[in-house]
Amino acid sequence: MTSALPFDDFRKLLAVLPTGDAAAGERVRAQFARAEKPQGSLGRLEDIAAWLAIWTGRPPAVTKPLVAIFAGNHGVARHDISPRPVEATARAVELCAAGGAAINQLCLAHDLGLKVFDLALHLPTADITEEAALDERGCAATMAFGMEAIAGGTDLVCIGDLGVGNSTVAAAMFAALFGGTGADWVGAGSGADAEMIARKAEIVDAALARHAGRLTDPLEVLRCIGGREFAAIAGAVLAARMERIPVILDGHAATAAAAVLQAANPAALDHCVVAHLPVELGHRKAIERLGLEPLLDLRLAHGEGAGAALAAGLVKAAALCSTGMAAAL
């Protein structure tokens, strides 16, 4: 038996979230207006610099950025919803640890810290077509782990994810939060063919039907349909908000976890930006529903936070432009 208690602390945090420092953002915009350049000529770079200032409360600077990748496995993957075996999640984590993944090179290129979190990969969550992915206590504990994961003084959090089958799980969460059926939200993921995509849609519909009575509560959507990486990301994004740390979101799991937070509080993602425009139409539609405009469009479908790391380089550049440009005479 579970009680309402494990989620109570998160509900309280989500009810009263810190706001940004609007005056700090206005100071950045005024500084750009005085710079030796045409008005507004740096476009979204000016918006990004102002966003940094709003959430840090100081002149834009990125001195200790962190890419945090959360990896989880899913019992629903047994339904042949991914061309990759479940073991591929652990192999990807090992590759990151060895320095041989794309994300390692991108972190080197932009001087970013990197942490990869193995969320009990040996113990996949329950099959969401038959039972809840996690019990409430386990989901809350994983959210708490995500909150602790960003501790250490970072000033920009870049979120990534790894998990075979998690695009199907995310599609189910999008359908639960935004409406529609599996066919409205699933896509190719890591390379599914038409037959597999149809199977993914059926699995989403089965999961929605199985948990229909619980899906009006966003945290229950996370618990019943999500997974460990989803819960940890929700916790990390929430912790960043409590500490007024800007966040770059990247990937299916990050978007779905963010959607849970926004459903609980419409202002919950004000400190977040989306790294890049996804290839999959369902994922694009989810980002549009969140009201977030991607920073980049590079046709990325790689995962592991690659888009967030690239976007972090853009954010760092915006900060330097804000503080380093000469004023007009």
Short mmCIF file of all heavy atoms in Angstrom, two decimals, residues 18-46:
data_model
loop_
_atom_site.label_atom_id
_atom_site.label_comp_id
_atom_site.label_asym_id
_atom_site.label_seq_id
_atom_site.Cartn_x
_atom_site.Cartn_y
_atom_site.Cartn_z
N PRO A 18 9.88 29.82 -6.90
CA PRO A 18 10.58 31.11 -6.96
C PRO A 18 10.40 31.76 -8.34
O PRO A 18 10.31 31.07 -9.36
CB PRO A 18 12.04 30.74 -6.73
CG PRO A 18 12.02 29.38 -6.11
CD PRO A 18 10.79 28.71 -6.64
N THR A 19 10.36 33.06 -8.36
CA THR A 19 10.28 33.80 -9.62
C THR A 19 11.65 34.36 -9.97
O THR A 19 12.56 34.42 -9.15
CB THR A 19 9.26 34.94 -9.52
OG1 THR A 19 9.62 35.81 -8.44
CG2 THR A 19 7.86 34.39 -9.29
N GLY A 20 11.79 34.78 -11.21
CA GLY A 20 13.05 35.35 -11.65
C GLY A 20 13.18 36.82 -11.31
O GLY A 20 12.24 37.46 -10.81
N ASP A 21 14.35 37.36 -11.58
CA ASP A 21 14.66 38.76 -11.32
C ASP A 21 14.47 39.55 -12.62
O ASP A 21 15.39 39.66 -13.43
CB ASP A 21 16.09 38.87 -10.80
CG ASP A 21 16.49 40.29 -10.40
OD1 ASP A 21 15.76 41.22 -10.77
OD2 ASP A 21 17.53 40.44 -9.74
N ALA A 22 13.27 40.08 -12.82
CA ALA A 22 12.97 40.79 -14.07
C ALA A 22 13.88 41.99 -14.26
O ALA A 22 14.28 42.31 -15.39
CB ALA A 22 11.51 41.21 -14.07
N ALA A 23 14.23 42.67 -13.18
CA ALA A 23 15.10 43.84 -13.29
C ALA A 23 16.47 43.48 -13.85
O ALA A 23 17.06 44.25 -14.62
CB ALA A 23 15.23 44.51 -11.93
N ALA A 24 16.98 42.30 -13.47
CA ALA A 24 18.28 41.87 -14.00
C ALA A 24 18.20 41.67 -15.51
O ALA A 24 19.14 42.01 -16.25
CB ALA A 24 18.72 40.58 -13.31
N GLY A 25 17.08 41.13 -15.99
CA GLY A 25 16.90 40.98 -17.42
C GLY A 25 16.83 42.31 -18.13
O GLY A 25 17.39 42.48 -19.23
N GLU A 26 16.16 43.27 -17.55
CA GLU A 26 16.06 44.59 -18.16
C GLU A 26 17.42 45.28 -18.23
O GLU A 26 17.72 46.00 -19.19
CB GLU A 26 15.06 45.45 -17.39
CG GLU A 26 13.62 45.02 -17.57
CD GLU A 26 13.20 44.97 -19.02
OE1 GLU A 26 13.52 45.92 -19.77
OE2 GLU A 26 12.58 43.97 -19.43
N ARG A 27 18.25 45.05 -17.23
CA ARG A 27 19.61 45.64 -17.26
C ARG A 27 20.41 45.08 -18.43
O ARG A 27 21.18 45.81 -19.08
CB ARG A 27 20.32 45.39 -15.93
CG ARG A 27 19.79 46.23 -14.78
CD ARG A 27 20.71 46.19 -13.59
NE ARG A 27 20.75 44.88 -12.95
CZ ARG A 27 19.90 44.50 -11.99
NH1 ARG A 27 18.95 45.32 -11.56
NH2 ARG A 27 20.01 43.30 -11.43
N VAL A 28 20.24 43.79 -18.71
CA VAL A 28 20.94 43.19 -19.84
C VAL A 28 20.44 43.79 -21.15
O VAL A 28 21.23 44.13 -22.05
CB VAL A 28 20.76 41.66 -19.84
CG1 VAL A 28 21.24 41.05 -21.14
CG2 VAL A 28 21.49 41.06 -18.66
N ARG A 29 19.15 43.96 -21.28
CA ARG A 29 18.60 44.52 -22.51
C ARG A 29 19.06 45.96 -22.70
O ARG A 29 19.37 46.40 -23.82
CB ARG A 29 17.07 44.44 -22.49
CG ARG A 29 16.57 42.99 -22.51
CD ARG A 29 15.08 42.90 -22.73
NE ARG A 29 14.62 41.53 -22.63
CZ ARG A 29 14.74 40.62 -23.59
NH1 ARG A 29 15.33 40.95 -24.73
NH2 ARG A 29 14.27 39.39 -23.42
N ALA A 30 19.15 46.70 -21.59
CA ALA A 30 19.65 48.07 -21.68
C ALA A 30 21.12 48.10 -22.09
O ALA A 30 21.55 48.98 -22.86
CB ALA A 30 19.46 48.77 -20.33
N GLN A 31 21.88 47.13 -21.62
CA GLN A 31 23.30 47.06 -21.97
C GLN A 31 23.47 46.76 -23.46
O GLN A 31 24.31 47.36 -24.14
CB GLN A 31 23.99 45.98 -21.13
CG GLN A 31 25.49 45.97 -21.23
CD GLN A 31 26.12 45.10 -20.15
OE1 GLN A 31 25.42 44.41 -19.40
NE2 GLN A 31 27.43 45.13 -20.08
N PHE A 32 22.67 45.85 -23.99
CA PHE A 32 22.71 45.58 -25.43
C PHE A 32 22.30 46.83 -26.22
O PHE A 32 22.85 47.09 -27.30
CB PHE A 32 21.78 44.41 -25.79
CG PHE A 32 22.42 43.06 -25.64
CD1 PHE A 32 21.87 42.11 -24.79
CD2 PHE A 32 23.55 42.72 -26.36
CE1 PHE A 32 22.45 40.85 -24.66
CE2 PHE A 32 24.14 41.48 -26.24
CZ PHE A 32 23.59 40.53 -25.39
N ALA A 33 21.33 47.58 -25.70
CA ALA A 33 20.88 48.78 -26.40
C ALA A 33 21.99 49.83 -26.48
O ALA A 33 22.03 50.63 -27.43
CB ALA A 33 19.66 49.36 -25.69
N ARG A 34 22.91 49.82 -25.52
CA ARG A 34 24.03 50.78 -25.53
C ARG A 34 25.23 50.27 -26.32
O ARG A 34 26.19 51.01 -26.54
CB ARG A 34 24.47 51.06 -24.09
CG ARG A 34 23.44 51.80 -23.24
CD ARG A 34 24.07 52.29 -21.95
NE ARG A 34 24.55 51.19 -21.12
CZ ARG A 34 23.83 50.57 -20.20
NH1 ARG A 34 22.56 50.93 -19.98
NH2 ARG A 34 24.36 49.59 -19.47
N ALA A 35 25.22 49.00 -26.71
CA ALA A 35 26.38 48.41 -27.37
C ALA A 35 26.58 48.98 -28.76
O ALA A 35 25.66 49.49 -29.40
CB ALA A 35 26.22 46.89 -27.44
N GLU A 36 27.83 48.87 -29.24
CA GLU A 36 28.20 49.38 -30.56
C GLU A 36 27.71 48.40 -31.62
O GLU A 36 28.47 47.58 -32.15
CB GLU A 36 29.73 49.55 -30.63
CG GLU A 36 30.23 50.20 -31.91
CD GLU A 36 29.73 51.62 -32.09
OE1 GLU A 36 30.04 52.48 -31.27
OE2 GLU A 36 28.98 51.83 -33.06
N LYS A 37 26.44 48.48 -31.93
CA LYS A 37 25.81 47.59 -32.92
C LYS A 37 24.41 48.11 -33.22
O LYS A 37 23.85 48.90 -32.45
CB LYS A 37 25.73 46.16 -32.38
CG LYS A 37 24.77 46.01 -31.22
CD LYS A 37 24.62 44.56 -30.82
CE LYS A 37 23.55 44.40 -29.73
NZ LYS A 37 22.22 44.85 -30.16
N PRO A 38 23.82 47.67 -34.34
CA PRO A 38 22.42 48.03 -34.61
C PRO A 38 21.49 47.46 -33.54
O PRO A 38 21.74 46.37 -32.99
CB PRO A 38 22.14 47.39 -35.98
CG PRO A 38 23.49 47.21 -36.59
CD PRO A 38 24.43 46.94 -35.46
N GLN A 39 20.41 48.17 -33.24
CA GLN A 39 19.48 47.75 -32.21
C GLN A 39 18.88 46.38 -32.55
O GLN A 39 18.38 46.15 -33.65
CB GLN A 39 18.35 48.77 -32.07
CG GLN A 39 18.78 50.10 -31.46
CD GLN A 39 19.25 49.93 -30.02
OE1 GLN A 39 18.55 49.36 -29.20
NE2 GLN A 39 20.43 50.44 -29.72
N GLY A 40 18.95 45.47 -31.58
CA GLY A 40 18.34 44.14 -31.74
C GLY A 40 19.04 43.24 -32.73
O GLY A 40 18.52 42.18 -33.08
N SER A 41 20.24 43.61 -33.18
CA SER A 41 20.88 42.86 -34.27
C SER A 41 21.36 41.48 -33.87
O SER A 41 21.60 40.63 -34.72
CB SER A 41 22.06 43.66 -34.82
OG SER A 41 23.06 43.85 -33.82
N LEU A 42 21.50 41.20 -32.57
CA LEU A 42 21.93 39.88 -32.14
C LEU A 42 20.76 38.93 -31.88
O LEU A 42 20.94 37.81 -31.41
CB LEU A 42 22.81 39.98 -30.88
CG LEU A 42 24.21 40.53 -31.13
CD1 LEU A 42 24.98 40.67 -29.83
CD2 LEU A 42 24.98 39.65 -32.11
N GLY A 43 19.55 39.40 -32.19
CA GLY A 43 18.39 38.53 -32.18
C GLY A 43 18.20 37.77 -30.88
O GLY A 43 18.20 38.35 -29.79
N ARG A 44 18.06 36.45 -30.98
CA ARG A 44 17.77 35.65 -29.80
C ARG A 44 18.94 35.56 -28.83
O ARG A 44 18.74 35.20 -27.66
CB ARG A 44 17.33 34.23 -30.21
CG ARG A 44 15.93 34.20 -30.84
CD ARG A 44 15.43 32.79 -30.98
NE ARG A 44 15.10 32.21 -29.67
CZ ARG A 44 14.88 30.91 -29.47
NH1 ARG A 44 14.99 30.06 -30.49
NH2 ARG A 44 14.57 30.46 -28.28
N LEU A 45 20.16 35.88 -29.28
CA LEU A 45 21.27 35.91 -28.34
C LEU A 45 21.00 36.92 -27.22
O LEU A 45 21.36 36.69 -26.06
CB LEU A 45 22.57 36.28 -29.05
CG LEU A 45 23.25 35.18 -29.88
CD1 LEU A 45 24.53 35.71 -30.50
CD2 LEU A 45 23.53 33.94 -29.06
N GLU A 46 20.36 38.02 -27.56
CA GLU A 46 20.03 39.02 -26.55
C GLU A 46 18.98 38.47 -25.58
O GLU A 46 19.05 38.69 -24.37
CB GLU A 46 19.54 40.29 -27.23
CG GLU A 46 20.59 40.92 -28.14
CD GLU A 46 20.16 42.23 -28.74
OE1 GLU A 46 19.26 42.89 -28.18
OE2 GLU A 46 20.72 42.61 -29.79
#
